[in-house]
Amino acid sequence: MAYGKSGLCACVALAALLAAAPVAAQSAPAQALPDSAYQALSWRLVGPFRGGRVTAVAGHRAQPTTFYLGATGGGLWRTTDAGTTWKNLSDGFFRTATIGAIAIAPSNPDILYVGTGEAPVRGVAAASGDGVYKSVDGGSTWRWIGLGASRQISRILVDPKNPDIVFAAVQGDPWKASEDRGVYRSDDGGATWKKLLYVDPTTGPSDLSMDAHDPNILYAAMWDHQRTPWNVRSGGPGSGIWKSTDGGAHWSRLGGGLPKLMGRIGVAVSPVDSHRLYAMIEAEQGGVYRSDDAGATWTHTNADQGIRDRGWYYSHIFADPKSVDRVYVLAASMVVSQDGGKRFTPVHEPHGDNHSLWINPDNPDVMVEGNDGGGIVSLDAGRTWSSEMNQPTGQFYRIETDDVWPYRIYSAQQDRSSFRIPSMTTHGGIGEQDWADIGGGESSFVAMDRKHPRLVYATSLLGGVSEFDSDTGTAHAVDPYPMFQGFKRPSDLKWRFNWNAPVRVAQQEPNVIYVGANVLLRSEDRGERWTAISPDLTRARPATIGTIGGPIMIEGAGGETYATLTDIVVSPHDPKTIWTGSDDGLVHLTRDGGASWQDVTPKGLPEADINAIEVSPHDPASAYIAAYRYKFGDFEPYAYKTGDFGKTWTAITEGLPANDFVEVVREDPVRKGLLYAGAGWGAYVSFDDGAHWRPLQLNLPVAPVTDLQVHGDELVASTQGRAIWILDGLEALRAVTPETAAEPAHLFAPAPALRLERGEPAAPNDAPDPPYGATFYYSLASAPAGEVTMDVLDPNGVLIRHFSSETHVVAAADTTVKGSDRQPPPEPLPARAGLNRYSWDLRLAPFTPVDDTMRFVSYHPPRAGPGVYTVRLTVDGKTVEQKLQVLPQPGLTPMSDADWAEQQRVSRRLYDLVNADHRETDLIRKREADLVQHNGDKKLIARLEAWQDQVPQAPLASGLVDRIGYPSRLLSTQILYTLSIADGPAPVSAAVKARTSELEAQWAKMQAEGDRLLKQ
């Protein structure tokens, strides 16, 4: 067999894998290309399976192991096993993935209401809500029922006796004044809504509580607040607690000891005693307040600063359903009081930053809690909790990739850490054992020399920068200005850093590191010394760099530090050409390494966050920018391109939804003008350099797509709430044109396939690896009239696999033998109009079918070796073909062409033995069955059974297989065992060759004996 010249080493394999065949630069009008032209592409979840922010939870009162969580970008999830596993319920139904409230109708738990839009007004909360969704079948299906302009819903309450009476606390738009805020009521299950309580355009309800004994008695905590990109204002004259005694028709404002100036408020009426109320209040004299007369008067019971920190973000309080004096407060920590809110003790939960709690009314030990690390369940009042490492709901802002194999993805998860995760593994799935922390913090930008990624640089909030050494697993700080910048006026800082401050390593000069503050900083000695190589590249308006927070509390986490750089791009064509973008809307360019700078901001672009800049990999003068203004209450898409180093810009938003802001635009490095965009609702693609856009959502869940990177034939996406995903199959997307879509049958050139040494399948909370082997994409202009077939020929032109669109039975099912390792029949070839996808695991055709037997080793045909194979697709009599290159796994000890050829010869000899064994066995069994049916020669039956006992060995009579205690005399098992060794990644040993010859001789005798028995 011919495998080409020797030297199919790891580096050659890797290069061939990563560099797809060039596609001629061309533009296909988007409107001329049907969506079906790329329908078979599929996004693959990479993980990690570790929870992101959860601000809404609920539980099923009658099913104490069933709970719900609402993630702030990850949608709605349910567990039925007390948090061991979670299943998404909102995919395919919800138009947005941010959840603010969950309510189960007490009188009918099959009826659920979900309010969208997380209530904590985070400065990086990109997703916004679009109203209320309802399910009447326990969460299996959902429909939207209104309040579309609500933006953020903090609480939903359902009348305990009538599931059609629903109250919604519409907190409203955090970024601008809105008349849509207020408490709403529906009397018809959400068909119509009426606003019952409204204070002013900047005041909305942060909480809502219902008297358990009289549903007409309601308490609403109203919050006067407003965010801008540079400030969070929490508190004002509109904040207060309001009460209704007639189902919301009329309201009165409560006083009697409450602070005059209040910010965010949580309120809870005790289910035990209607006169007992608790409130958690953000105020100068804030903390826990209690009323024992249904809100007429209030007593300040606890002012501990430790439980009322960051009042605008927390201020949550929950009354126990059985004890009037037990009350929980959620903030950075979770605490409980047993004496009516006077003294609190910690409840040790696994993450911190807590937001929501549901306690089972019948058993207060059973609860579910939501925090910035996910949703957790306790069955013992918080002494122990379920894991958060089973929810792929993390929020990620930026991604980077390296060029090792398998390549790794670098990012940072909100409220977790920066980390590295592989794009795939060789053990079946990507799990926790494959993740690695890499320094930095939850808001990191990450950078490294992609070819030699030993040293990894990551930013953190408040100007932190770290260097992580992958060889030692240690990180140390290399801050440009080692100063704790929390609680400082931005105008008083030497340099201002964004929450998600950018860092870049110049790939042409990997010793050079850039970090963006309000100026561009450069280091050539691994962060030992930093030099500012630019003036202030922001607007730096005094009004936007003053005190952060107020009027009650200052916000010191740095999330609102404004007039900062948000992206840096060192041109891949020239390291002296550097682009920067700022969060206040400026784009700058230097072409001399920082000696001089030009303001190249697109004319007419209003103040916006320049979130991402992309320099075209094809043209040094071309670049793309993605900007957003959602922090001004403007959700319009803003994206531009230039072809002259920013002298002129063209808007490229045609086809994008009018209210879906763009976060990133990337150009494909192989096909010029093929663009990918990430936006607030998902992913988009343009085939004509941005002139037209169309969805690239496919199976990607709805979530903000914050960053994109192209690596080889894959598109990597970070999301703000659904972890990290990879779109496989760019080799087909790059080649799609109106012409290919119109052909009766078009087979796209497949990407090189790796002959991997795979391990066990993925564990339940592991992300799946891509399909093993080769993946083929082919398009059909219309559904074919007849059978579609695909044939694979080896390098010598020998047919080794045949696939068909028709279902063929490979082997009869055997339900009596437990633990059998049966070959599943191949999936039929898909044959629908448009793009189709099919994967081949590189194995030869399944063994000749035979009834199941006891087997003690892997039951798989051998794999194809490295070389160039021919793939033929036949549709309605028309045949098209492509070449497929199979490569060895990178990193393994190289084998010569002669070694591979010998490996293939020996494997095929053993493969032929198994098939011959099965064919003979099938004939023997049919002969025995015929004799038994007709009461034939009992001695001959005994001889037939004795033959089988030495060759396939029938299962035990009981149908149970004792793989250890029952001695093996299986000739077929011995063949399979030897085949499993020969099919490995090393040259075939002399011992395997000798054993193969021995088995062939043994089989020749057994076959001759079988033939004699068949003739009798």
Side-chain angles (χ1 to χ4, degrees):
M1 298 177 69
Y3 297 99
K5 296 181 179 179
S6 61
L8 281 170
C9 61
C11 58
V12 175
L14 183 60
L17 177 69
L18 298 180
V23 176
Q26 52 192 329
S27 293
Q31 62 270 27
L33 200 60
D35 290 342
S36 61
Y38 54 92
Q39 65 187 359
L41 298 177
S42 180
W43 293 90
R44 169 171 56 90
L45 175 63
V46 176
F49 276 75
R50 60 181 188 183
R53 182 181 302 114
V54 168
T55 60
V57 295
H60 194 303
R61 182 172 184 169
Q63 296 178 6
T65 60
T66 297
F67 303 91
Y68 300 83
L69 69 80
T72 59
L76 180 71
W77 298 71
R78 178 177 63 197
T79 177
T80 57
D81 52 18
T84 301
T85 59
W86 293 87
K87 179 184 178 181
N88 184 277
L89 301 180
S90 54
D91 286 351
F93 298 100
F94 287 29
R95 295 191 296 259
T96 184
T98 175
I99 309 300
I102 307 169
I104 303 173
S107 60
N108 184 351
D110 283 338
I111 297 178
L112 292 87
Y113 295 90
V114 171
T116 57
E118 62 175 292
V121 290
R122 293 280 306 185
V124 287
S128 65
D130 70 334
V132 182
Y133 290 82
K134 180 181 180 180
S135 174
V136 296
D137 53 14
S140 296
T141 61
W142 297 84
R143 61 187 177 90
W144 181 81
I145 59 170
L147 297 181
S150 56
R151 291 294 186 195
Q152 289 178 304
I153 296 176
S154 60
R155 189 78 65 199
I156 291 180
L157 301 177
V158 184
D159 185 283
K161 295 182 179 180
N162 187 343
D164 287 337
I165 299 178
V166 189
F167 298 89
V170 175
Q171 187 173 287
D173 194 324
W175 302 108
K176 64 181 181 181
S178 170
E179 301 287 338
D180 295 297
R181 306 180 199 276
V183 177
Y184 289 74
R185 172 175 170 149
S186 175
D187 293 326
D188 51 16
T192 60
W193 294 89
K194 180 180 180 181
K195 183 159 58 174
L196 305 176
L197 175 61
Y198 172 79
V199 176
D200 61 52
T202 62
T203 301
S206 56
D207 205 355
L208 193 62
S209 187
M210 177 185 289
D211 189 329
H213 302 95
D214 185 351
N216 286 313
I217 299 177
L218 299 164
Y219 298 89
M222 304 301 287
W223 180 23
D224 192 342
H225 67 290
Q226 183 76 58
R227 285 206 79 116
T228 63
W230 52 86
N231 191 35
V232 52
R233 178 185 67 79
S234 179
S239 290
I241 302 176
W242 297 70
K243 179 178 180 178
S244 173
T245 59
D246 55 9
H250 302 87
W251 296 82
S252 59
R253 184 167 183 164
L254 302 181
L258 293 175
K260 291 184 178 180
L261 177 62
M262 293 182 282
R264 196 181 195 281
I265 303 168
V267 63
V269 56
S270 171
V272 181
D273 182 353
S274 298
H275 292 88
R276 175 67 63 85
L277 270 70
Y278 293 100
M280 186 68 191
I281 299 176
E282 179 191 10
E284 289 188 6
Q285 300 298 319
V288 178
Y289 282 74
R290 188 180 86 194
S291 174
D292 293 308
D293 52 14
T297 61
W298 295 82
T299 302
H300 192 190
T301 61
N302 188 287
D304 293 349
Q305 190 64 42
I307 68 171
R308 61 187 184 101
D309 53 331
R310 300 187 86 193
W312 66 267
Y313 193 46
Y314 305 119
S315 300
H316 308 294
I317 196 161
F318 300 88
D320 188 271
K322 294 295 186 181
S323 172
V324 69
D325 288 328
R326 185 181 299 131
V327 61
Y328 293 86
V329 168
L330 303 187
S333 57
M334 178 180 180
V335 295
V336 62
S337 172
Q338 307 287 353
D339 60 2
K342 297 176 183 178
R343 291 176 295 273
F344 286 85
T345 57
V347 178
H348 297 290
E349 30 68 46
H351 187 86
D353 293 333
N354 304 280
H355 299 285
S356 187
L357 180 67
W358 179 88
I359 308 170
N360 191 306
D362 302 318
N363 182 359
D365 285 353
V366 175
M367 57 181 64
V368 58
E369 199 261 358
N371 56 66
D372 278 4
I376 50 177
V377 171
S378 178
L379 304 179
D380 55 12
R383 288 186 290 276
T384 61
W385 297 91
S386 64
S387 174
E388 293 173 329
M389 297 299 184
N390 52 18
Q391 305 155 40
T393 55
Q395 297 179 318
F396 297 84
Y397 303 116
R398 307 283 182 166
I399 49 174
E400 187 57 90
T401 59
D402 64 23
D403 289 339
V404 303
W405 187 89
Y407 73 88
R408 283 88 58 91
I409 303 164
Y410 299 74
S411 191
Q413 182 177 344
Q414 173 63 43
D415 220 67
R416 292 282 186 177
S417 64
S418 59
F419 87 122
R420 182 182 69 203
I421 190 169
S423 57
M424 60 162 287
T425 72
T426 56
H427 51 256
I430 307 167
E432 189 173 353
Q433 71 276 7
D434 302 305
W435 314 339
D437 288 338
I438 53 169
E442 63 181 307
S443 61
S444 291
F445 233 105
V446 183
M448 80 296 297
D449 177 359
R450 299 188 191 100
K451 293 183 176 60
H452 307 285
R454 173 187 169 185
L455 301 177
V456 181
Y457 297 91
T459 56
S460 186
L461 58 133
L462 302 173
V465 182
S466 70
E467 179 190 80
F468 174 78
D469 189 326
S470 300
D471 288 353
T472 64
T474 59
H476 69 279
V478 291
D479 296 7
Y481 189 65
M483 168 190 176
F484 181 71
Q485 299 184 12
F487 306 101
K488 296 286 187 182
R489 290 171 54 95
S491 58
D492 294 337
L493 298 174
K494 178 178 181 179
W495 293 318
R496 298 183 302 276
F497 292 89
N498 193 269
W499 169 264
N500 185 222
V503 59
R504 297 290 189 190
V505 170
Q507 298 304 303
Q508 307 97 320
E509 303 171 327
N511 61 309
V512 178
I513 312 161
Y514 295 96
V515 168
N518 56 305
V519 299
L520 183 60
L521 301 168
R522 172 185 171 112
S523 176
E524 298 181 15
D525 51 15
R526 296 173 52 183
E528 178 73 17
R529 287 173 291 273
W530 294 90
T531 303
I533 63 167
S534 78
D536 193 321
L537 299 175
T538 74
R539 300 180 193 272
R541 292 184 285 113
T544 66
I545 55 176
T547 301
I548 296 174
I552 298 168
M553 291 185 177
I554 296 175
E555 170 59 17
E560 289 73 31
T561 303
Y562 195 63
T564 62
L565 296 185
T566 47
D567 200 8
I568 308 163
V569 177
V570 181
S571 172
H573 309 283
D574 173 18
K576 291 185 180 298
T577 299
I578 306 170
W579 300 72
T580 69
S582 73
D583 58 2
D584 57 2
L586 297 183
V587 182
H588 282 87
L589 171 67
T590 179
R591 299 182 64 184
D592 52 18
S596 61
W597 289 86
Q598 299 172 277
D599 183 341
V600 294
T601 307
K603 291 180 175 58
L605 173 65
E607 187 167 345
D609 189 316
I610 310 297
N611 192 60
I613 303 173
E614 168 82 349
V615 174
S616 169
H618 305 281
D619 176 17
S622 295
Y624 305 84
I625 62 171
Y628 56 67
R629 285 176 41 83
Y630 74 84
K631 295 184 181 183
F632 292 92
D634 176 2
F635 286 78
E636 291 290 317
Y638 293 91
Y640 297 83
K641 71 174 180 180
T642 181
D644 53 13
F645 290 105
K647 294 177 183 177
T648 59
W649 294 88
T650 302
I652 51 170
T653 56
E654 178 68 30
L656 295 173
N659 57 346
D660 196 7
F661 61 91
V662 181
E663 298 205 51
V664 61
V665 173
R666 303 290 183 204
E667 185 178 21
D668 191 275
V670 175
R671 177 170 170 172
K672 190 177 188 298
L674 176 59
L675 304 183
Y676 312 103
W681 287 356
Y684 299 88
V685 63
S686 172
F687 295 92
D688 51 15
D689 207 24
H692 304 86
W693 292 93
R694 58 201 310 151
L696 191 60
Q697 198 68 17
L698 304 166
N699 63 316
L700 183 67
V702 172
V705 174
T706 54
D707 201 1
L708 297 166
Q709 294 289 341
V710 179
H711 194 288
D713 293 322
E714 299 176 343
L715 177 64
V716 189
S718 60
T719 72
Q720 198 167 345
R722 290 302 289 269
I724 295 172
W725 294 70
I726 290 177
L727 179 66
D728 300 303
L730 293 191
E731 70 274 14
L733 192 64
R734 289 166 176 152
V736 166
T737 66
E739 291 72 28
T740 62
E743 291 181 31
H746 184 91
L747 178 62
F748 294 94
L754 288 182
R755 190 184 192 274
L756 297 179
E757 304 303 319
R758 271 270 171 91
E760 294 299 318
N765 288 324
D766 286 359
D769 280 323
Y772 176 87
T775 298
F776 307 113
Y777 291 92
Y778 54 96
S779 63
L780 306 177
S782 59
E787 181 183 18
V788 176
T789 64
M790 181 181 290
D791 295 319
V792 181
L793 287 69
D794 72 11
N796 292 326
V798 176
L799 177 67
I800 58 173
R801 283 310 297 263
H802 174 79
F803 303 105
S804 169
S805 60
E806 299 180 359
T807 302
H808 299 282
V809 176
V810 172
D814 187 334
T815 59
T816 64
V817 181
K818 297 181 180 179
S820 63
D821 191 9
R822 169 165 300 285
Q823 298 175 97
E827 293 290 332
L829 282 172
R832 59 178 178 171
L835 188 68
N836 296 273
R837 172 182 177 176
Y838 197 77
S839 294
W840 171 44
D841 62 4
L842 301 186
R843 294 192 180 277
L844 303 191
F847 296 122
T848 300
V850 68
D851 285 344
D852 204 11
T853 64
M854 276 178 54
R855 297 185 183 90
F856 296 80
V857 295
S858 177
Y859 186 47
H860 296 296
R863 294 167 294 170
V868 178
Y869 292 71
T870 300
V871 185
R872 290 177 180 166
L873 178 73
T874 301
V875 181
D876 291 338
K878 175 180 174 59
T879 298
V880 291
E881 67 178 44
Q882 291 283 0
K883 297 298 182 183
L884 166 70
Q885 186 175 20
V886 176
L887 300 168
Q889 178 175 316
L892 301 180
T893 302
M895 288 170 56
S896 68
D897 290 353
D899 288 337
W900 278 116
E902 181 67 4
Q903 191 260 11
Q904 289 288 288
R905 280 192 293 269
V906 173
S907 295
R908 299 247 181 135
R909 286 165 61 191
L910 293 163
Y911 171 71
D912 290 342
L913 282 183
V914 176
N915 284 329
D917 176 318
H918 288 183
R919 286 192 295 269
E920 192 80 3
T921 296
D922 190 52
L923 294 173
I924 291 288
R925 287 181 175 170
K926 288 178 180 177
R927 176 66 170 144
E928 179 189 1
D930 181 67
L931 288 170
V932 171
Q933 181 180 1
H934 295 91
N935 198 23
D937 187 340
K938 290 182 172 52
K939 290 184 178 180
L940 179 56
I941 292 173
R943 291 175 65 191
L944 290 168
E945 290 179 344
W947 187 94
Q948 292 178 67
D949 188 57
Q950 298 179 63
V951 184
Q953 186 174 318
L956 298 178
S958 65
L960 300 177
V961 177
D962 185 349
R963 292 175 179 258
I964 297 176
Y966 194 82
S968 170
R969 294 184 294 274
L970 306 178
L971 181 57
S972 63
T973 293
Q974 297 300 329
I975 299 171
L976 289 167
Y977 177 74
T978 309
L979 175 57
S980 69
I981 299 174
D983 192 43
V988 178
S989 67
V992 168
K993 295 176 187 177
R995 179 61 172 150
T996 299
S997 297
E998 183 179 272
L999 289 168
E1000 287 174 328
Q1002 290 178 353
W1003 170 245
K1005 293 180 181 179
M1006 294 306 304
Q1007 187 176 34
E1009 173 64 16
D1011 289 345
R1012 285 194 293 272
L1013 292 173
L1014 290 172
K1015 292 177 182 178
Q1016 296 183 25

